[in-house]
């Protein structure tokens, strides 16, 4: 195979524009907000529990309380944009969300509702909606483990498996905000049905739920009666050398490696950053991924692909919402500063 001699220009990654960004992170257990400065520091961080059992407006009421808290900051008048990161599915083209872990919201117009609440508090600023995987990607590219990489895949491996892409230093959410959703790449032709309707998806093999479910189906049980039967418990057993637990993580690592290699082959990413609860298992997960990656990333342009853990932890949602707003909304300044 002959490598092309021409090189394509790589857009430079910019420092976020001047002014503060209102960042809102909406998840199944909490709704958080902050004012994010151009250097990534956060002011006035606040949060509310995500309401359970109520209607759509009860969840929106919690979002409104978060915005109200932020509007009380003396820095509120400096806000110039808003980023909303939400559990998905999202449809950024319509500004709606239907989070699987927030049953009250189905095609809920969260972007329009947030924009109205901002305007009611004298912050008539543009807003952008992204899924939590895209937000995490924006955060890790700006300040985390993907910083300095023009082309990156970032992933969240937790109850589900999500992700996002940076291509040529640009966040690439796609028309509806779902580009990079690696969890629903099929890696097992005759695999088990996935909740999405397909078969053999990465999520159906490598999510925390799938790891624990497969291990239990193979006869694994916690060593102590009533012990942890989740992926964390399987990870602890794997660290102790329990064969079924080791096999569960090897299976998950192989699925992730295949999907990471396929993505890199398609769009030439050179790094995969993995965060989320299952990634917290460390080498129990990363060891199998790296081992199997050699079997899938075989072409010359993906052979040096690296896989690393995410570095921003629980701050990724808010930082990512702010970073996504800065990357996707029209810039109000002409700064050419580099990251």
């Amino acid at each position: 195979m002959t490598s092309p001699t021409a090189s394509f220009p790589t857009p430079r990654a910019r420092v976020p524009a001047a002014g503060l960004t209102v960042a809102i992170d909406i998840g199944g257990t909490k709704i958080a907000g902050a004012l994010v400065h151009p250097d990534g520091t956060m002011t006035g961080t606040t949060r509310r529990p995500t309401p359970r059992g109520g209607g759509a407006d009860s969840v929106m009421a919690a979002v409104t309380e978060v915005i109200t808290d932020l509007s009380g900051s003396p820095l509120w008048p400096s806000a110039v944009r808003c980023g909303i990161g939400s559990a998905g599915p999202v449809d950024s083209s319509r500004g709606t969300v239907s989070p699987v872990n927030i049953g009250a919201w189905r095609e809920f117009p969260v972007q329009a509702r947030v924009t109205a609440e901002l305007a009611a508090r004298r912050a008539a600023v543009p807003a952008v909606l992204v899924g939590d995987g895209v937000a995490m990607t924006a955060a890790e590219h700006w300040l985390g483990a993907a910083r300095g990489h023009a082309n990156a895949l970032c992933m969240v491996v937790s109850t589900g498996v999500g992700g996002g892409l940076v291509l040529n230093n640009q966040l690439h959410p796609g028309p509806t905000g779902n580009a990079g959703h690696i969890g629903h790449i099929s890696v097992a032709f005759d695999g088990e049905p996935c909740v999405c309707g397909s078969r053999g998806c990465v999520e159906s093999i490598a999510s925390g739920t799938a790891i624990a479910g497969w291990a239990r189906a193979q006869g694994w049980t916690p060593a102590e009666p009533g012990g942890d039967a989740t992926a964390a418990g399987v990870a602890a057993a794997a660290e102790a050398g329990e064969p079924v637990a080791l096999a569960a993580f090897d299976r998950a690592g192989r699925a992730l490696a295949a999907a990471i290699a396929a993505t890199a082959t398609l769009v030439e990413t050179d790094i995969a950053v993995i965060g989320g609860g299952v990634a917290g298992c460390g080498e129990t997960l990363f060891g199998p991924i790296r081992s199997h990656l050699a079997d899938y990333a075989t072409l010359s342009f993906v052979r040096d692909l690296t896989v690393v853990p995410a570095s921003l932890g629980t701050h990724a949602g808010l930082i990512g919402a702010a970073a996504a707003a800065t990357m996707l909304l029209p810039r109000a300044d002409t700064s050419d500063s580099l990251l």
Side-chain angles (χ1 to χ4, degrees), residues 71-164:
S71 69
S73 166
L75 297 176
W76 181 251
S78 299
V80 296
R81 68 188 73 79
C82 175
I84 308 161
S86 175
V90 305
D91 185 342
S92 298
S93 66
R94 299 172 58 219
T96 62
V97 296
S98 302
V100 294
N101 51 5
I102 304 178
W105 277 7
R106 289 296 172 266
E107 297 187 4
F108 186 78
V110 66
Q111 183 172 330
R113 293 287 297 270
V114 166
T115 300
E117 295 295 343
L118 293 170
R121 289 158 184 79
R122 300 182 304 282
V125 300
V128 68
L129 169 67
V130 296
D132 49 9
V134 173
M136 177 264 195
T137 300
E140 291 292 335
H141 181 254
W142 178 22
L143 296 173
R147 184 172 184 173
H149 291 265
N151 301 287
L153 165 68
C154 298
M155 304 172 58
V156 179
V157 182
S158 187
T159 306
V161 177

Side-chain angles (χ1 to χ4, degrees), residues 270-312:
D270 60 13
I271 189 170
V273 177
I274 305 179
V278 178
C281 298
E283 282 304 303
T284 303
L285 178 69
F286 283 91
I289 293 173
R290 292 173 179 138
S291 174
H292 286 294
L293 195 62
D295 295 330
Y296 294 102
T298 57
L299 292 170
S300 60
F301 59 91
V302 293
R303 215 171 278 152
D304 294 329
L305 177 65
T306 57
V307 178
V308 299
S311 64
L312 296 177

Side-chain angles (χ1 to χ4, degrees), residues 64-261:
T64 300
E65 289 176 10
V66 165
I67 295 171
T68 300
D69 287 350
L70 296 177
S71 69
S73 166
L75 297 176
W76 181 251
S78 299
V80 296
R81 68 188 73 79
C82 175
I84 308 161
S86 175
V90 305
D91 185 342
S92 298
S93 66
R94 299 172 58 219
T96 62
V97 296
S98 302
V100 294
N101 51 5
I102 304 178
W105 277 7
R106 289 296 172 266
E107 297 187 4
F108 186 78
V110 66
Q111 183 172 330
R113 293 287 297 270
V114 166
T115 300
E117 295 295 343
L118 293 170
R121 289 158 184 79
R122 300 182 304 282
V125 300
V128 68
L129 169 67
V130 296
D132 49 9
V134 173
M136 177 264 195
T137 300
E140 291 292 335
H141 181 254
W142 178 22
L143 296 173
R147 184 172 184 173
H149 291 265
N151 301 287
L153 165 68
C154 298
M155 304 172 58
V156 179
V157 182
S158 187
T159 306
V161 177
L165 291 167
V166 170
L167 303 176
N168 285 343
N169 274 321
Q170 304 297 312
L171 192 64
H172 183 74
T176 66
N178 292 289
H181 199 340
I182 193 170
H184 295 289
I185 289 178
S186 179
V187 292
F189 182 70
D190 294 319
E192 294 295 319
C194 178
V195 292
C196 75
S198 184
R199 283 185 173 273
C201 292
V202 175
E203 182 171 299
S204 69
I205 299 171
S207 70
T209 304
I211 290 170
W214 186 87
R216 292 193 300 268
Q218 303 307 307
W220 174 83
T221 56
E224 299 292 331
D228 188 353
T230 69
V234 180
E239 290 168 11
E242 204 283 328
V244 172
L246 285 168
F249 272 91
D250 186 74
R251 180 174 178 266
R254 184 178 182 185
L256 290 165
I260 290 167

